[in-house]
Amino acid sequence: MNTPTDAGNGRVVAQSDQLDQDAVARVEVLSPVLAALEQAWAEIRARHPEVPPAVVVVASGSEAGSLRKWGHFGAMRWLQAAGGEDLSEVMVSGEGLARDPVEVLATLLHEAAHAVAHVRDIQDTSRQGRYHNRRFAEIAAQLGLQVAELPGFGLAATTLPTAAAETWREVLDRLRVALTLSRRAEAARGAGGGTAGRGRTSNNNPTPCVCGCPRKIRVALTVLAVGPITCGVCGSDFEPGG
């Protein structure tokens, strides 16, 4: 017969077991997503050997109620404990996982183009990685993407044409099966720290921008978003900072 103490311990054990099972269930749900993304990256590398190995992660792509990006490539962001070579990072936004698998694959190929630019030591972007230039567009096209102008971001709009998508059928089928969850976008926050509707931040306030000289100017972000402002002395673009 259980004493009151034993019964209490039994409840604690039962609750602990349930928490463990819930944690395992969450891992089982997320792992196929990461596995499918990693397999897709491996297939991209198999077809395009210049694309380097990378740690694939899923993270937030939104901020204050606005979607900021579908993904990003970060060169040499990860250190190996055993002293091996550093690894780059490919992030796919959790919000973007709600899209069609073709669009998710296009995001991976977009980041693969940045990865190839890094390997070739080509500057394919400016303005802290936001503005995509023609060198990026050339590499993206080599990977099978169709490139178009995205106002404020240069040649950053990339899509995978239907004919090209047909050659990725197995990868797309795996993604379609695995992409069963996506992330909610971050809620907008007002001036008082609450949700949207209690204030907004203006993008028209002049922001300090510096070039390679370095000279400094102040310009509204809305103006900077129209396109790069190039220094006539050093030839580099003015970027926020300084």
Side-chain angles (χ1 to χ4, degrees), residues 53-156:
V55 177
V56 180
V57 301
V58 176
S60 173
S62 63
E63 181 181 337
S66 299
L67 183 66
R68 298 298 185 187
K69 55 188 172 183
W70 294 126
H72 78 220
F73 171 77
M76 317 310 283
R77 298 288 177 84
W78 290 76
L79 306 174
Q80 296 199 61
E85 292 185 0
D86 294 350
L87 293 173
S88 295
E89 173 182 281
V90 171
M91 186 278 277
V92 178
S93 76
E95 296 87 344
L97 298 179
R99 298 175 297 161
D100 186 89
V102 173
E103 296 175 286
V104 176
L105 178 58
T107 293
L108 287 171
L109 287 166
H110 180 116
E111 304 313 330
H114 287 306
V116 171
H118 168 70
V119 170
R120 296 178 184 175
D121 197 23
I122 292 175
Q123 184 176 344
D124 62 336
T125 63
S126 58
R127 288 178 41 222
Q128 297 181 328
R130 292 189 299 275
Y131 192 86
H132 295 56
N133 59 33
R134 292 194 177 277
R135 284 168 287 187
F136 167 81
E138 291 170 359
I139 298 173
Q142 292 168 13
L143 270 58
L145 291 172
Q146 184 172 310
V147 185
E149 184 82 21
L150 183 63
F153 295 88
L155 297 166

Side-chain angles (χ1 to χ4, degrees), residues 122-221:
I122 292 175
Q123 184 176 344
D124 62 336
T125 63
S126 58
R127 288 178 41 222
Q128 297 181 328
R130 292 189 299 275
Y131 192 86
H132 295 56
N133 59 33
R134 292 194 177 277
R135 284 168 287 187
F136 167 81
E138 291 170 359
I139 298 173
Q142 292 168 13
L143 270 58
L145 291 172
Q146 184 172 310
V147 185
E149 184 82 21
L150 183 63
F153 295 88
L155 297 166
T158 50
T159 55
L160 188 63
T162 301
E166 286 297 323
T167 68
W168 293 91
R169 185 53 50 199
E170 291 186 11
V171 173
L172 292 171
D173 287 343
R174 286 197 296 267
L175 287 172
R176 186 166 287 105
V177 171
L179 299 181
T180 58
L181 76 169
S182 59
R183 191 181 191 277
R184 291 190 180 92
E186 295 292 329
R189 304 190 68 84
T195 55
R198 301 205 307 179
R200 65 182 182 89
T201 300
S202 173
N203 287 329
N204 294 317
N205 295 326
T207 298
C209 298
V210 296
C211 65
C213 291
R215 294 194 295 168
K216 182 183 292 186
I217 62 174
R218 288 183 175 272
V219 61
L221 290 178

Side-chain angles (χ1 to χ4, degrees), residues 39-54:
Q39 288 171 354
W41 187 258
E43 181 64 25
I44 291 171
R45 294 191 62 224
R47 299 188 187 199
H48 305 282
E50 277 190 281
V51 176

